[in-house]
Amino acid sequence: MRSSRYAIFMYGGMLGVPLLMFITLVALYYASPYAFSVLPALLVIALAVYAVTGVKEIFVHGHYTNSGNWIVAGAETQSGKMPSGRHGERVEVVVNRFNSLSKKFDSITYKFRATKFTTVLDALLSIKSYQDNTLSMRYNCRMGVCGSCAMVVNGKPVLACETNLLGSASSNTVEVTPMLGHPLTKDIVPDLNDFFERHKSVDPTLYRKNAGEKYAQGKEFKQSKEELDKYLPYSYCIMCGLCLDACPVVNSNPNFIGPQALAQSYRYYKDSRDQKGKRRLFDMDSWDGAWGCEFAGACSKACPKGVDPASAIQMLKGSLMKSIAQESE
Amino acid sequence: MEILDYDIAVLGSGIAGLSAAIHASVESKGKLRIAIVSKLHVMRSHSVAAEGGISGVLYPQHNKDSEKLHAYDTVKGSDYLADQDAVDVLVKNAPQAIRFLNNIGVPWNRTDNDRIAQRPFGGMSVPRTAFAADKTGFFIMRALYDELIGHGNIDVFHEHFATSLVADKGNVHGFVTFDMADRSVKAFKAKSVIIATGGFSRIFGFTTNSYSNTGDGTAMAMRAGAALKDMEFVQFHPTGLVPSGILITEASRGEGGYLRNSKGERFMERYAKSKMELAPRDIVSRAIISEINAGRGLKDPVSGLEYVHLDLRHLPKGRIDERLPMVKELAMKMLNIDPATEMIPIRPVAHFTMGGIHTDINGNVVHGNGSLFKGLWAVGECACVSVHGANRLGSNSLSQCSVWGSITGKEAAAYAQRAAPDPDRFYSIAQDEEAHIADVIDNKGDITPYQIRDELQGIMGRYMYVFRNMKGMARAQQELAGLRKSVARMHVADKGSTYNTNLRDAFETINLVDLAMVVTHCALNRRESRGAHVVIEHPKRDDRHWLKHTIAYLSQSGVSISYLPVKLGEFEPEERKY
């Protein structure tokens, strides 16, 4: 679990360390150009401080709980922009609606009065109910846990139900677009059947050598707190599809299985109750599997639940290399 | 119209439905062909919103718990309206249900001894609620979904909206749906049908429930002749987030949270001195509304809703992050409140419908005439097997869904293996329903489903909330009758065939109105206060006249009502004090 802390070294997209380095460099240059000779030592100190203190939350998408769990990224990443604005503030909501007949987008602007609590989903539902009954979106729990309402709001991939409307507005306009990394059905509703097939293809079912054991009366597979922590961060996946939508690799190579499925493969690999062992790893040992990932890190940034698929894939690669090395010994 | 032929068709994809399908598959050793049909993507059902945990006596030797104690707590919590034989089934099978969920991958919180951790919950004498952070329902759903992927004989039908059962003379042979993707009508023909469509708390506007909880299966079963039971009992959860109604889990009080009024007092002292904040939900909800009515509430200027505070500021450092991360996430994202330093505004919120489709102890649906339906089961919140009585204890719902998921799955599998061939009339009945769907979309009118829904929720919120009175309920009944008439003028603006949520909403609205009428009718008849049903004019529980279940069914004169005695057992009704 602790290895997630070093995820920033393993893929791009996280600005923390480069930023820290840059600031140190600039500060040093202005202090005294001669100080460059002690630069390596200072960098080590800076990184040590970073690794030990809680400052890491500023840099990395998510945070640790006291039990060492890596979760609840979304709360921190969005809270800074939460309820602001006045009661009855006017907002223009531009919805880029996919027309299932013409296969083109119709951009339609709706005028809407928001309160400081209004979420993007609230606004869309209100528009549907009172302005345009034909508008379609997918939604259900409206509390960020069912994974239905993934979409792009002012260029940012989000769950509409946990995104504050006024907080997302720029010059009182909010533009809503469907995810474009999935096929589209209608308006802002993506077709996720292919996405579900990817998930299914990694065999995401807890495996026991004795299949009947799972259902046997009185049987309880034990697990320790430490064992739980190894896969828990990856079990928060709500299957919303935002990570696959964000992945630049899958957009150029559709055969690449994608971050969601790979993270789930790793989740079961690390679950101490699962007995499929290294077969899970070797199933991912291909260019369309783990090796297809190019460290873009876009998936982890897009994930609204802090699952961090990018780190899961790097762990998967690491475990694979270790296993391959062991096999060849 | 396409006809899909299965041995078992499960309608609904929450914890109850998925459990039923999996256990039916295991029972038949993978031989039966099973369909799961859901109006949602199957992993997105409302069960994902269950937070606090699932009850069950896992390790009696370690925490001095016993099945008998669990049964007693449940019966007392139900205000003695639970059937004690059903409660017995619940408490005996709940531990196995939790172990099964463990064995398919639920990431339970753990104790230092590698056991499944359990926390205190309202109305439970000892900590017996197993939990996975405060996303227990979500984790169970993901484990069940991943498990069913491993069953090759289970086919999943995402986003198919069911409009009617195909029933013929007390036999059920399937149901008719339209596919959200292209509005094509598909009829599922099956030897065994299991309804697992969840509750109907969306009859209220201020509710914890997902938008999908419109009681479609319950309404469909009623129209097919099934009896409904104890429909007047709707649970109001004490801690709904203001203004959205999003659930703040009872575990927040189980982990030590306080409730405070505008003066900062822990007012539960006045209402449940020994249990305080962990009294059962009906009692805590009434306490909150009493405080608000006495002028000790606060008011949200934006929504106008009055509320009290949930205080978690004193919890040990790290407790919120470890055990209540979702409470933190929701408070921060929705209100920009950090629960470690600020109090959370909450008020009672429609949460769970104790009533539902009347079933026997095995989940087999009972007809309005008292006989059992052949080939039809109901399970989960849509059903009323009578374990919750007049008030459900927190964390008993997930065990109910899991336990009866397993029971109905096995029953349906056994029936499907011996059932006779389906009747020829299936096609003609299904065709009639296809025509009905076309009628709804073509109906000319001047009122939208959303206008009807808003009016409905207004009526229910005004007259059928935590405290009810005879005059108000009579008004509600009258206004609902008028509203039901306006359904004939309902207009579907979207005529398209792709992902037509307007059409779906129209069907859901009809279901909501029909169920709200039954709720009100049953409530108006019960002249006592028991559990979640409180009538100001009849403030006391009246066991002499009302220790009985309300049975409602459609007849030629509308909704007819009869009564059925409660199955008592070891525990005699006594005064309910906490």
Side-chain angles (χ1 to χ4, degrees):
Chain A
M1 173 61 243
R2 289 287 157 192
S3 43
S4 268
R5 176 171 298 186
Y6 309 110
I8 48 163
F9 301 115
M10 302 177 74
Y11 59 87
M14 294 302 177
L15 284 172
V17 167
L19 200 69
L20 196 71
M21 285 174 157
F22 180 74
I23 293 168
T24 315
L25 276 172
V26 172
L28 278 171
Y29 181 79
Y30 281 104
S32 156
Y34 301 108
F36 271 93
S37 51
V38 294
L39 189 62
L42 282 172
L43 258 183
V44 169
I45 293 167
L47 283 173
V49 168
Y50 162 78
V52 171
T53 65
V55 185
K56 59 187 171 288
E57 277 92 344
I58 301 169
F59 301 108
V60 188
H61 193 75
H63 77 158
Y64 292 97
T65 70
N66 68 327
S67 60
N69 298 332
W70 176 265
I71 42 173
V72 211
E76 276 74 11
T77 52
Q78 295 200 345
S79 62
K81 310 183 9 171
M82 280 306 101
S84 60
R86 300 179 303 276
H87 185 41
E89 195 158 328
R90 284 167 197 276
V91 183
E92 294 206 333
V93 180
V94 182
V95 186
N96 293 313
R97 300 175 59 172
F98 177 74
N99 185 321
S100 52
L101 297 174
S102 71
K103 310 285 175 204
K104 287 185 181 140
F105 287 95
D106 303 320
S107 181
I108 301 181
T109 302
Y110 301 95
K111 289 191 167 45
F112 182 77
R113 264 177 194 279
T115 77
K116 62 177 183 174
F117 298 122
T118 309
T119 63
V120 173
L121 179 64
D122 291 338
L124 292 171
L125 283 171
S126 171
I127 289 166
K128 177 179 179 61
S129 296
Y130 309 117
Q131 296 187 37
D132 184 348
N133 291 174
T134 69
L135 180 64
S136 288
M137 52 270 172
R138 185 181 282 126
Y139 58 93
N140 192 32
C141 77
R142 59 84 166 87
M143 52 193 279
V145 68
C146 78
S148 299
C149 62
M151 56 187 75
V152 180
V153 176
N154 273 3
K156 202 176 160 196
V158 294
L159 296 178
C161 70
E162 54 177 36
T163 302
N164 186 274
L165 188 76
L166 294 175
S168 325
S170 72
S171 45
N172 273 18
T173 303
V174 174
E175 187 177 13
V176 178
T177 307
M179 293 190 283
L180 299 177
H182 301 278
L184 288 171
T185 305
K186 180 202 171 196
D187 293 346
I188 46 179
V189 180
D191 174 353
L192 296 183
N193 287 321
D194 171 66
F195 173 65
F196 297 153
E197 286 306 313
R198 289 165 189 267
H199 173 76
K200 204 171 163 179
S201 74
V202 302
D203 190 15
T205 307
L206 196 124
Y207 177 85
R208 297 296 285 192
K209 285 173 185 151
N210 170 3
E213 221 178 11
K214 290 204 272 192
Y215 320 114
Q217 192 75 23
K219 188 83 194 168
E220 178 184 324
F221 308 151
K222 296 285 178 198
Q223 189 158 68
S224 70
K225 279 181 169 174
E226 292 71 30
E227 287 167 333
L228 169 68
D229 278 350
K230 287 190 176 134
Y231 71 92
L232 182 62
Y234 310 107
S235 63
Y236 280 89
C237 170
I238 57 173
M239 300 187 72
C240 63
L242 281 170
C243 59
L244 191 78
D245 175 58
C247 176
V249 180
V250 88
N251 283 322
S252 57
N253 170 20
N255 291 328
F256 174 52
I257 193 166
Q260 190 274 341
L262 285 168
Q264 293 313 294
S265 163
Y266 187 68
R267 176 244 177 275
Y268 280 100
Y269 171 65
K270 293 305 279 186
D271 191 328
S272 58
R273 297 166 294 187
D274 187 84
Q275 293 181 330
K276 206 171 177 190
K278 288 182 184 164
R279 271 194 288 155
R280 284 207 188 272
L281 289 180
F282 295 127
D283 285 350
M284 298 302 119
D285 184 16
S286 72
W287 289 113
D288 292 334
W291 302 112
C293 167
E294 293 170 8
F295 306 143
C299 52
S300 293
K301 271 199 285 188
C303 178
K305 298 291 126 180
V307 171
D308 204 354
S311 89
I313 301 171
Q314 303 333 307
M315 310 285 209
L316 204 54
K317 289 178 185 172
S319 303
L320 251 175
M321 300 237 282
K322 227 157 99 185
S323 301
I324 292 167
Q326 281 167 358
E327 296 258 309
S328 58
E329 262 170 25
Chain B
M1 179 174 54
E2 191 181 350
I3 294 185
L4 296 128
D5 212 329
Y6 281 89
D7 293 311
I8 302 176
V10 180
L11 183 60
S13 57
I15 289 175
L18 300 188
S19 298
I22 289 166
H23 285 286
S25 168
V26 172
E27 180 73 9
S28 74
K29 301 198 168 54
K31 284 200 191 86
L32 293 177
R33 292 192 64 236
I34 301 166
I36 295 175
V37 184
S38 176
K39 66 175 174 176
L40 306 162
H41 286 149
V42 301
M43 76 296 282
R44 312 206 194 283
S45 290
H46 177 62
S47 295
V48 295
E51 299 178 16
I54 172 168
S55 63
V57 182
L58 286 175
Y59 315 107
Q61 65 278 26
H62 292 284
N63 63 354
K64 297 206 173 84
D65 200 0
S66 70
E67 283 166 7
K68 187 174 169 183
L69 191 56
H70 188 185
Y72 172 72
D73 288 344
T74 302
V75 170
K76 184 179 173 190
S78 79
D79 224 348
Y80 296 91
L81 196 69
D83 282 344
Q84 294 187 22
D85 57 345
V87 172
D88 226 39
V89 172
L90 177 81
V91 300
K92 284 206 164 72
N93 292 284
Q96 176 59 25
I98 297 171
R99 293 197 166 97
F100 163 72
L101 293 170
N102 172 69
N103 295 355
I104 61 171
V106 173
W108 300 115
N109 276 51
R110 297 282 167 175
T111 67
D112 291 332
N113 305 315
D114 304 353
R115 286 196 290 268
I116 296 166
Q118 291 175 288
R119 63 169 39 136
F121 238 70
M124 301 282 187
S125 300
V126 295
R128 68 162 71 92
T129 299
F131 62 102
D134 54 357
K135 294 194 175 186
T136 311
F138 163 75
F139 282 125
I140 293 176
M141 280 295 289
R142 277 304 315 275
L144 288 169
Y145 178 66
D146 283 353
E147 168 68 19
L148 78 85
I149 286 174
H151 292 252
N153 55 321
I154 301 179
D155 291 344
V156 167
F157 293 86
H158 299 290
E159 302 192 323
H160 285 63
F161 186 86
T163 59
S164 174
L165 291 173
V166 177
D168 187 22
K169 298 184 198 118
N171 288 272
V172 169
H173 306 291
F175 46 82
V176 179
T177 68
F178 65 86
D179 187 343
M180 291 297 293
D182 58 7
R183 196 154 53 82
S184 59
V185 175
K186 294 182 190 170
F188 288 83
K189 187 175 174 187
K191 293 171 187 156
S192 301
V193 171
I194 301 175
I195 305 178
T197 49
F200 49 88
S201 291
R202 278 276 156 192
I203 55 175
F204 289 88
F206 190 66
T207 173
T208 60
N209 282 198
S210 299
Y211 286 99
S212 62
N213 282 19
T214 51
D216 308 326
T218 314
M220 256 182 266
M222 176 172 73
R223 284 181 213 120
L228 307 184
K229 183 164 55 184
D230 293 339
M231 292 290 282
E232 61 270 42
F233 297 100
V234 177
Q235 178 166 80
F236 295 92
H237 193 291
T239 55
L241 194 64
V242 173
S244 60
I246 288 172
L247 175 67
I248 298 297
T249 173
E250 183 165 308
S252 57
R253 283 169 287 133
E255 297 293 346
Y258 299 150
L259 292 172
R260 294 186 189 280
N261 60 20
S262 61
K263 294 178 169 171
E265 298 166 326
R266 280 182 73 189
F267 56 83
M268 280 312 297
E269 205 174 11
R270 283 196 276 277
Y271 306 90
K273 211 169 167 53
S274 71
K275 279 283 196 177
M276 293 295 285
E277 281 86 356
L278 281 178
R281 291 172 176 173
D282 56 334
I283 293 172
V284 181
S285 285
R286 278 196 290 280
I288 295 172
I289 295 297
S290 300
E291 288 297 303
I292 289 173
N293 288 346
R296 293 190 289 271
L298 300 101
K299 192 169 184 175
D300 169 39
V302 175
S303 61
L305 289 172
E306 290 184 281
Y307 63 88
V308 296
H309 275 132
L310 172 66
D311 187 359
L312 305 178
R313 296 172 301 175
H314 57 284
L315 296 191
K317 196 172 178 298
R319 177 74 61 90
I320 295 176
D321 282 334
E322 188 199 349
R323 296 189 161 195
L324 304 166
M326 186 148 163
V327 170
K328 178 175 175 177
E329 189 180 340
L330 289 169
M332 292 192 91
K333 286 185 175 173
M334 299 300 167
L335 300 178
N336 199 17
I337 282 176
D338 179 356
T341 57
E342 286 169 90
M343 294 194 283
I344 305 172
I346 54 92
R347 74 180 263 118
V349 56
H351 180 59
F352 186 89
T353 45
M354 270 75 73
I357 304 167
H358 177 23
T359 74
D360 73 355
I361 197 164
N362 292 321
N364 200 173
V365 175
V366 183
H367 197 278
N369 64 19
S371 63
L372 288 175
F373 262 105
K374 285 200 182 104
L376 183 64
W377 287 263
V379 59
E381 192 177 341
C382 72
C384 181
V385 69
S386 287
V387 283
H388 307 310
N391 174 61
R392 173 173 73 78
L393 290 189
S395 74
N396 266 354
S397 56
L398 297 194
S399 23
Q400 178 216 353
C401 289
S402 305
V403 166
W404 270 277
S406 161
I407 293 171
T408 55
K410 287 171 185 167
E411 291 274 317
Y415 181 81
Q417 280 163 333
R418 61 169 199 267
D422 297 320
D424 304 331
R425 283 202 59 209
F426 182 89
Y427 192 73
S428 70
I429 299 173
Q431 251 180 340
D432 289 349
E433 186 56 23
E434 187 178 26
H436 175 232
I437 295 170
D439 286 348
V440 172
I441 201 164
D442 292 336
N443 194 42
K444 300 229 174 349
D446 55 356
I447 180 163
T448 70
Y450 313 103
Q451 287 167 302
I452 296 175
R453 178 201 63 196
D454 288 354
E455 200 168 322
L456 166 73
Q457 293 175 343
I459 295 168
M460 298 307 280
R462 269 196 302 281
Y463 304 120
M464 302 300 291
Y465 192 45
V466 175
F467 287 103
R468 299 167 174 174
N469 66 68
M470 298 302 292
K471 214 173 132 192
M473 288 191 287
R475 287 278 306 257
Q477 193 175 38
Q478 201 186 351
E479 289 178 23
L480 285 172
L483 191 62
R484 185 65 182 85
K485 286 203 185 97
S486 67
V487 166
R489 295 190 283 124
M490 187 165 65
H491 171 66
V492 176
D494 191 344
K495 308 289 181 197
S497 55
T498 313
Y499 215 83
N500 188 337
T501 49
N502 193 197
L503 178 63
R504 178 202 66 191
D505 295 345
F507 278 102
E508 287 182 348
T509 302
I510 298 171
N511 292 337
L512 285 175
V513 174
D514 283 354
L515 293 175
M517 289 179 76
V518 180
V519 168
T520 309
H521 195 66
C522 295
L524 194 54
N525 274 28
R526 184 176 282 273
R527 303 208 170 156
E528 64 157 353
S529 292
R530 183 186 296 271
H533 173 69
V534 171
V535 185
I536 302 231
E537 290 89 341
H538 306 281
K540 287 231 154 61
R541 194 177 83 196
D542 177 3
D543 287 336
R544 215 159 67 98
H545 298 102
W546 289 104
L547 192 57
K548 55 190 182 185
H549 299 294
T550 309
I551 304 291
Y553 54 95
L554 283 187
S555 65
Q556 274 167 349
S557 57
V559 180
S560 293
I561 285 189
S562 65
Y563 293 94
L564 197 69
V566 173
K567 288 181 195 145
L568 293 171
E570 205 173 343
F571 311 112
E572 286 295 320
E574 56 183 48
E575 200 193 346
R576 193 159 157 258
K577 266 197 166 156
Y578 289 95

